[in-house]
Amino acid sequence: MTRGMMKSNAKESLRGNWGIAILALLIGGILEGAASCVFGVGELIIIGPIETGLALIFLKLSYRDNAEIGDLFVPFQNFVNTFFAGFLVMLFTFLWSLLFVIPGIVKALSYSQTYFIMNEHPEYTGREAIDASRRMMDGHKGEYFVLHLSFIGWFLLSALTLGLLLFYVMPYYQATMAEYYRYVRGEQVPEVEGPEF
């Protein structure tokens, strides 16, 4: 599955769903920012559930399922596992980054599928989800890194628009990451004909 196919599918999954995608990202960002400001390390407490909730919404959009804002808060029902998933991802990435920047990036790529996995396997502990992500990304980190690089132009343009373009770029980016998860977990995702933006 090519990057172009993933991006085409991502755009199609957002057709008619831009509102919920943008609103979910706004609410998630506000909650994480508020937790960080109010409680100092509060972001560590909610980042796992919130990021898992965002992953759920974009997975649902990818499967053409009905996504709702309430889905953002579903992972709080599995708080212990999703909390530790987020906490350990941040902790392990930070510790590897102390060695040098490159090991930190490599490990961030290894752990990148953790929140998607938590949605499909809520019974997993945070560590089990991280380990599953690490195995899933074995041999795929390079292509995933290149997929991220393909969005650099969009993020540069967003900076030139004082961030306004992010209302388009971030849902597009997140939807593409959901498509990648389906690809890397072994699904044959057919290319969907969608509009070019």
Side-chain angles (χ1 to χ4, degrees):
M1 190 177 187
T2 66
R3 290 191 300 277
M5 291 170 64
M6 292 179 200
K7 290 183 173 183
S8 178
N9 288 348
K11 292 170 188 174
E12 185 63 22
S13 74
L14 289 167
R15 186 195 291 265
N17 294 302
W18 285 94
I20 189 170
I22 292 170
L23 186 58
L25 288 167
L26 277 175
I27 293 174
I30 290 170
L31 290 175
E32 289 180 7
S36 179
C37 292
V38 175
F39 302 111
V41 296
E43 185 179 4
L44 290 175
I45 298 174
I46 69 167
I47 191 168
I50 291 294
E51 291 299 323
T52 304
L54 288 171
L56 174 60
I57 286 174
F58 284 96
L59 265 182
K60 280 191 165 187
L61 295 180
S62 176
Y63 284 112
R64 310 303 189 265
D65 197 359
N66 291 325
E68 302 174 350
I69 289 300
D71 293 327
L72 183 63
F73 304 101
V74 168
F76 281 94
Q77 299 172 15
N78 187 25
F79 180 78
V80 173
N81 288 340
T82 56
F83 159 72
F84 276 108
F87 177 78
L88 292 176
V89 164
M90 293 187 70
L91 176 63
F92 292 164
T93 303
F94 170 74
L95 292 176
W96 279 102
S97 298
L98 291 178
L99 297 178
F100 199 57
V101 175
I102 300 301
I105 293 174
V106 171
K107 289 302 178 180
L109 296 170
S110 293
Y111 307 149
S112 62
Q113 308 306 306
T114 299
Y115 303 121
F116 291 112
I117 291 170
M118 284 302 305
N119 281 298
E120 294 202 311
H121 296 281
E123 75 279 6
Y124 280 9
T125 65
R127 183 55 190 266
E128 287 173 336
I130 288 173
D131 288 343
S133 176
R134 183 174 48 78
R135 292 191 298 270
M136 185 180 290
M137 291 300 291
D138 188 30
H140 292 281
K141 290 184 285 292
E143 66 183 13
Y144 190 61
F145 181 69
V146 172
L147 180 61
H148 278 77
L149 288 180
S150 71
F151 280 91
I152 283 183
W154 282 112
F155 286 114
L156 290 175
L157 284 174
S158 297
L160 294 177
T161 63
L162 302 179
L164 289 177
L165 191 58
L166 288 175
F167 286 99
Y168 169 79
V169 176
M170 285 307 297
Y172 179 25
Y173 169 82
Q174 293 289 349
T176 303
M177 296 307 118
E179 295 295 329
Y180 184 83
Y181 170 73
R182 292 183 60 187
Y183 154 74
V184 80
R185 75 187 287 275
E187 278 193 34
Q188 297 298 316
V189 185
E191 182 175 9
V192 177
E193 292 295 331
E196 291 298 328
F197 293 98

